[in-house]
Amino acid sequence: MNRTLYQKIYQSHVVGSLNGSTDLLFVDRHLIHEVTSPQAFSGLRLAGRKVRRPDLTFATMDHNTSTQVRSYDAAGETSRKQLEALAANCAESGIELLDLYHPDQGIVHVIGPELGLTQPGMVIVCGDSHTSTHGAFGAIAFGIGTSEVEHVLATQTLPQQVARTLKVEVTGQLSPFVTPKDVILAIIGKLGTAGGNGYVAEFCGEAIRGMTMEGRMTLCNMSIEMGAKAGLIAPDDTTFAYLKGKPHAPKAEHWDAAIAYWQSLYSDADAVFDTVVNIDGSQIRPQISWGTNPEQVIAVDQPVPAPESFKDLIKADAAKRALTYMGLEAGQKLTDIKVDVVFIGSCTNSRIEDLRAAAAVVGTQKVAAGVRALVVPGSGQVKRQAEAEGLADVFKAAGFEWREPGCSMCLGMNDDRVDAGQRCASTSNRNFEGRQGRGSRTHLVSPAMAAAAAIAGKFVDISQMSVAQGAQA
Amino acid sequence: MSQIFAKGLVCPLDKNNVDTDQIIPKQFLTSVSRDGFAEALFFDWRYQADGSANPEFILNEPQYQGASILLTRTNFGCGSSREHAPWAIQQYGFNVIIAESFADIFFNNSVNNGMLLISLSASNIEFLFNRCKQGSQQWQIDLANQEILLGNNAAVGFAMDQDVKQRLLSGLDFIGASETLSPQIGQYEAARKQATPWLG
């Protein structure tokens, strides 16, 4: 009684008490990738330790891979060494690896759910901050550092303290053209980049219930951008239907028992959250970031704010710096601003629904002259499905580059980068200075808004576009 | 009992929301080593596009060479989980960061490398920044008594998580500490297998 969903899952994973208020939590799934794991394996070797549960550990290659050629060599010498290190570490420890040549390879937060590795009630960790994505299934999922990766490899546990709980209720129905990406950007705009620090956020309300699993993943994915330790959504029939038949989902003999357990995973009616935020979903309009952190966001039909419009001096100062970096002036309309690059991809927005939404906007139109546009599917499965549905043909005919799965231009670890001074409409999650390349200017938008920007050569208010019928993701 | 955890020159980095992409940009994350990140710290701020040092960036100013205590503002270390961020900071020479607040993952990563991160109120942070404006600061950190000793008997106290404090004072290997619960981990695994066999 009176427990939040987070507290229920946390308590069921306590192995023991370490000291004071620190518990040792069991980890059900440990996802690893090439960038944040090599030093963890080296650490294990130095200490003479072994991987305790290779059967609960799964690896892929995504951050540091070429999206043009499927080859370890394609992204340079140091990248090749990193990929080879992961392959060798997985082989030595008996960890299943979806390497670059595996048909289901992809972004770790896309393939985990796709393969059914992500399930309600789990504790899931990965050396990547966007692990919060998996919270869409009603799992406690969060990013960890390399020392913690080593700790989980060695013990299948992690020391934790109970986080505070934040309830974000999004009531009402979303307008057409308003996607989960717009919802989470609006939430971050309201709460700020540090508004969730120390909290696990549970999203609920009619607008959330109406979202598909893909949409819920987009939402939880960006909960880290408001500083939350994790984002959570209670599992429901949408969740169960998504999981049924997935390769690692519970098999027939366990299915009913799993469902019964999953149905117990919700916040009790009398549960008390430390903080509650209510948002009227019907009032959210298509969002676009104008600055250099994800809270610097406006509805696309609003003017760029003036620094002096912020009462908080810190925010005013941040706005001033951001406008300078972004090459924008207060009062400008972003729909008057040209784009140089369009990136549709990342663990936030590279799933099949995202590509469908983007393709619906593109239709038979062409990418504007002078705009470089990329579509990078989140996984091999997404890529094959998009090709089967004809979406890839839509993109290619329009002049988009159709790439191999990977993190790509979200963080530009490989050769997919935005040049200094270039402006990018991006479906990714971070608009930090230099994130997509030194001097790059990132505007975070939904897949439909990104596609519309590619066609128009400038930002577009998607709600004003007649071709956007059915473009809601 | 006083126990000096660290002492040294203070570098005031007057910025809010310093994210991990600023602390260490992506091109340095391709390494398989835990070392060699000192040069990468704040790379895009420290170096100009042609590779020369940016004279306007505070770390490049002569009076802050050799600094070991970093003073900054709110939400330091937000963004990615890359532990390369605290590695770069530590390898550059900072073992203490004082800020109004830190991002959660960055905080944990830093503690796991034996660094001390001190959170203070906005007014105390402002007080310390003002002190830096008066001239070069050499401070000592008394971890046992949770005080920043500013010199001439001036001090600022700080609150901290007692579990974190114990870890920093004992210097205990955190994997080793958890391994003391190995029997409980085994029991948990057995019970889990029984109750939720589909989890593997």
Side-chain angles (χ1 to χ4, degrees), chain B residues 19-29 36-38 40-43 80 82-88:
Chain B
D19 61 72
T20 51
D21 279 83
Q22 307 314 319
I23 296 171
I24 181 165
K26 79 276 272 129
Q27 65 268 32
F28 301 103
L29 308 186
F37 298 111
L41 179 66
F42 298 127
F43 190 83
S80 99
R82 60 188 72 162
E83 196 162 314
H84 310 69
W87 291 339

Side-chain angles (χ1 to χ4, degrees), chain A residues 49-69:
Chain A
R49 292 181 170 119
K50 296 229 173 303
V51 177
R52 183 182 177 99
R53 294 296 301 268
D55 59 322
L56 302 182
T57 312
F58 299 87
T60 193
M61 300 172 169
D62 56 3
H63 280 66
N64 196 6
T65 58
S66 168
T67 60
Q68 306 195 61
V69 188

Side-chain angles (χ1 to χ4, degrees), chain B:
Chain B
M1 169 191 99
S2 99
Q3 186 165 348
I4 301 305
F5 177 84
K7 58 182 174 182
L9 179 66
V10 182
C11 177
L13 179 68
D14 195 357
K15 286 177 187 283
N16 291 288
N17 294 313
V18 173
D19 61 72
T20 51
D21 279 83
Q22 307 314 319
I23 296 171
I24 181 165
K26 79 276 272 129
Q27 65 268 32
F28 301 103
L29 308 186
T30 58
S31 169
V32 294
S33 163
R34 228 181 158 108
D35 298 309
F37 298 111
E39 275 308 302
L41 179 66
F42 298 127
F43 190 83
D44 286 356
W45 289 340
R46 242 165 104 194
Y47 301 101
Q48 309 191 81
D50 65 2
S52 62
N54 173 10
E56 314 225 313
F57 186 57
I58 193 151
L59 245 61
N60 291 332
E61 293 181 22
Q63 69 267 38
Y64 297 116
Q65 300 311 303
S68 61
I69 298 172
L70 185 66
L71 175 66
T72 181
R73 299 275 184 179
T74 63
N75 199 29
F76 186 85
C78 59
S80 99
S81 63
R82 60 188 72 162
E83 196 162 314
H84 310 69
W87 291 339
I89 292 171
Q90 190 171 47
Q91 287 162 21
Y92 179 87
F94 294 111
N95 215 30
V96 176
I97 311 176
I98 304 169
E100 194 181 326
S101 60
F102 298 94
D104 292 346
I105 304 177
F106 177 82
F107 184 93
N108 290 337
N109 286 344
S110 300
V111 170
N112 289 338
N113 285 279
M115 294 163 68
L116 173 61
L117 271 53
I118 299 171
S119 302
L120 293 176
S121 67
S123 57
N124 271 335
I125 289 291
E126 196 59 43
F127 168 75
L128 294 179
F129 268 100
N130 282 331
R131 216 171 157 97
C132 289
K133 283 178 192 156
Q134 292 159 18
S136 175
Q137 298 291 308
Q138 293 275 349
W139 298 342
Q140 299 190 14
I141 314 293
D142 178 347
L143 180 55
N145 293 312
Q146 297 179 207
E147 283 188 318
I148 304 167
L149 309 175
L150 308 176
N152 296 326
N153 291 323
V156 172
F158 58 89
M160 74 180 297
D161 184 284
Q162 293 306 297
D163 295 358
V164 170
K165 180 177 176 176
Q166 278 313 313
R167 277 187 57 194
L168 290 174
L169 285 173
S170 67
L172 196 65
D173 159 28
F174 87 135
I175 298 179
S178 296
E179 281 176 338
T180 61
L181 293 186
S182 283
Q184 285 94 323
I185 298 173
Q187 287 159 15
Y188 184 93
E189 287 175 320
R192 176 179 176 275
K193 186 89 190 159
Q194 197 75 30
T196 51
W198 61 87
L199 290 178

Side-chain angles (χ1 to χ4, degrees), chain A residues 269-290:
Chain A
D270 54 353
V272 178
F273 289 82
D274 294 299
T275 303
V276 177
V277 175
N278 286 291
I279 290 175
D280 182 352
S282 69
Q283 295 302 306
I284 298 173
R285 286 174 290 158
Q287 303 283 303
I288 180 168
S289 70
W290 54 269

Side-chain angles (χ1 to χ4, degrees), chain A residues 102-127:
Chain A
H102 192 288
D104 292 337
Q105 173 269 346
I107 304 174
V108 63
H109 309 309
V110 175
I111 67 171
E114 240 174 31
L115 298 173
L117 291 168
T118 304
Q119 296 169 22
M122 284 181 163
V123 169
I124 301 172
V125 298
C126 172

